[in-house]
Amino acid sequence: MRVLPALIRAAALGVAAILGTTMLTACSDAASSSADNPYGLQQPGVLRTGTLTDAPPNVYLKDGKFTGFDNDLLTAVAAKLGLKVEFVGTDFSALLSQVNNRKFDVGSSSITVTEARKKTVDFGNGYDFGYFGLDVPANSTITSFDQLSGKRVVVVQGTVQDDYATGKGLDPVRVPDYNGAINQLKAGTADAWIAPAEIGEKSAADSGFKIKVAAKQLSPAPTAYAVAKGNNALREALNKGLDEVIADGTWKRLQEQYYPGRPIPAGFTPGSGKAAASPSTSASATS
C-alpha cells in the first residue's frame, strides 16, 4: 500500500528536476543573450539608426546609400565597436520619440543637444558644432535675422531652428522635411528659411540661382547622437568609439570632406576631450 506514495514522491522529484533544469537553461540563455547583445540593440551586432534622406551634406540618401558627415562618422564609430549600421529614413519631427521607444537604437541627424530634448532621449558626447543659416529667394532684400519680423518664415518642424523662430515670436510655417522648405522658397511662398547653415548653403548652391544665403550665426550647443533614455551601455560605447575615430584622424578627414574651409569655433572640442585630434578647418550644421 506504500507503493503509491512512493510513486508520487518519485514523480514529484522528477518534475522538480525538470523545472530546475529548465530554470538553469533559461538563466544560461539570458546570460548568453546579454553577452551577445551588451548594448541592448534590437538585433545583436546591428545598430539600427534613424536618419534623414534630404539634408546634405549632413545626412542624406545618395544612389540608394545613406551618407553624409553624421552617418559616415557613425559608421566609423560603430566599426570600432564591431557593429554594422542599418540606416532607416524618417522625419526629424518623429526621430527622438522613435529613438526613445526603441524603434531605432540611435538617432543620427546633426541633433543639437538641448535641455528640452534631454527629457526625451539621452545624448552621447558632442561630435560637431554648427551654425544657423538664413536662406531667402534670390531677389530678396533680407540680409539678417533681425529683419524677419512680419515675414513668412519656414522651418523644419521640431528642429532648433523651429525653437529659435518661435522664441523670436515669428510664428513660423512648419514643414516636415528640408525639401518642403526649399520648395517654398523656390515657389516664392516663403520669405525666408532658417536652416542648418551647411544644408542651407548646399541647397542654395543647387537651386539654380533661385535661393541665396543671406546670413548665418553660431549655434550655442553641440550636436550628438541620441539613444533611448537609460541605455547607458550604448551611450558609453558610442562615446568610446567617437574618441577612437577622433584619435585616428577619421573625424578630421570627414570634416574636411564634407565641410571644406569651415573654421571650428574657438573652444569647441569633439568627444570627451581626452582624444588628441589634429586641428581641423571645418565645422557642421545643426538640426
Side-chain angles (χ1 to χ4, degrees), residues 132-138 142-145 185 193 195-205 207 210-217 262:
F132 289 172
L134 184 62
D135 279 30
V136 297
I142 295 173
T143 59
S144 77
F145 288 87
L185 285 186
W193 169 31
E198 283 73 26
I199 295 172
E201 290 171 352
K202 182 72 165 58
S203 300
S207 71
K210 293 180 179 179
I211 299 171
K212 65 182 180 181
V213 178
K216 70 177 183 179
Q217 66 182 39
R262 187 62 54 88

Side-chain angles (χ1 to χ4, degrees), residues 65-186:
K65 178 184 178 182
F66 285 96
T67 187
F69 174 78
D70 301 74
N71 289 342
D72 286 5
L73 182 68
L74 182 61
T75 298
V77 169
K80 298 292 186 181
L81 307 176
L83 301 175
K84 295 181 179 180
V85 184
E86 177 189 357
F87 290 107
V88 181
T90 188
D91 289 335
F92 187 81
S93 59
L95 178 57
L96 297 187
S97 62
Q98 290 171 332
V99 168
N100 198 45
N101 66 25
R102 305 290 182 122
K103 178 176 181 179
F104 301 125
D105 300 310
V106 176
S108 170
S109 181
S110 291
I111 307 168
T112 302
V113 179
T114 68
E115 292 304 314
R117 289 173 177 175
K118 287 180 182 179
K119 296 176 182 178
T120 302
V121 295
D122 286 341
F123 288 100
N125 290 332
Y127 60 79
D128 213 345
F129 211 85
Y131 296 82
F132 289 172
L134 184 62
D135 279 30
V136 297
N139 61 355
S140 176
T141 58
I142 295 173
T143 59
S144 77
F145 288 87
D146 295 335
Q147 296 174 305
L148 298 180
S149 180
K151 302 297 184 181
R152 184 177 171 87
V153 178
V154 65
V155 295
V156 174
Q157 183 176 358
T159 61
V160 287
Q161 292 81 34
D162 185 352
D163 295 341
Y164 172 86
T166 302
K168 294 293 185 180
L170 298 177
D171 191 23
V173 177
R174 297 176 176 87
V175 294
D177 54 39
Y178 292 102
N179 282 330
I182 294 165
N183 290 337
Q184 290 227 13
L185 285 186
K186 287 182 177 179

Side-chain angles (χ1 to χ4, degrees), residues 15 50 121 133 157 181 199 221 225 243 284:
V15 171
V121 295
Q157 183 176 358
I199 295 172
Y225 297 116
D243 279 351
S284 80

Side-chain angles (χ1 to χ4, degrees), residues 182-257:
I182 294 165
N183 290 337
Q184 290 227 13
L185 285 186
K186 287 182 177 179
T189 54
D191 298 311
W193 169 31
I194 302 176
E198 283 73 26
I199 295 172
E201 290 171 352
K202 182 72 165 58
S203 300
D206 294 344
S207 71
F209 303 102
K210 293 180 179 179
I211 299 171
K212 65 182 180 181
V213 178
K216 70 177 183 179
Q217 66 182 39
L218 201 59
S219 173
T223 63
Y225 297 116
V227 301
K229 295 289 287 184
N231 194 347
N232 295 327
L234 179 57
R235 177 179 57 79
E236 291 169 3
L238 292 175
N239 286 342
K240 178 178 180 293
L242 176 60
D243 279 351
E244 291 180 13
V245 299
I246 291 168
D248 73 11
T250 300
W251 182 86
K252 179 177 182 290
R253 175 180 61 79
L254 291 174
Q255 282 276 319
E256 293 173 344
Q257 174 184 342

Side-chain angles (χ1 to χ4, degrees), residues 25-44:
T25 301
C27 291
S28 176
D29 288 346
S32 175
S33 176
S34 176
D36 292 342
N37 192 14
Y39 310 125
L41 306 178
Q42 294 184 46
Q43 179 182 343

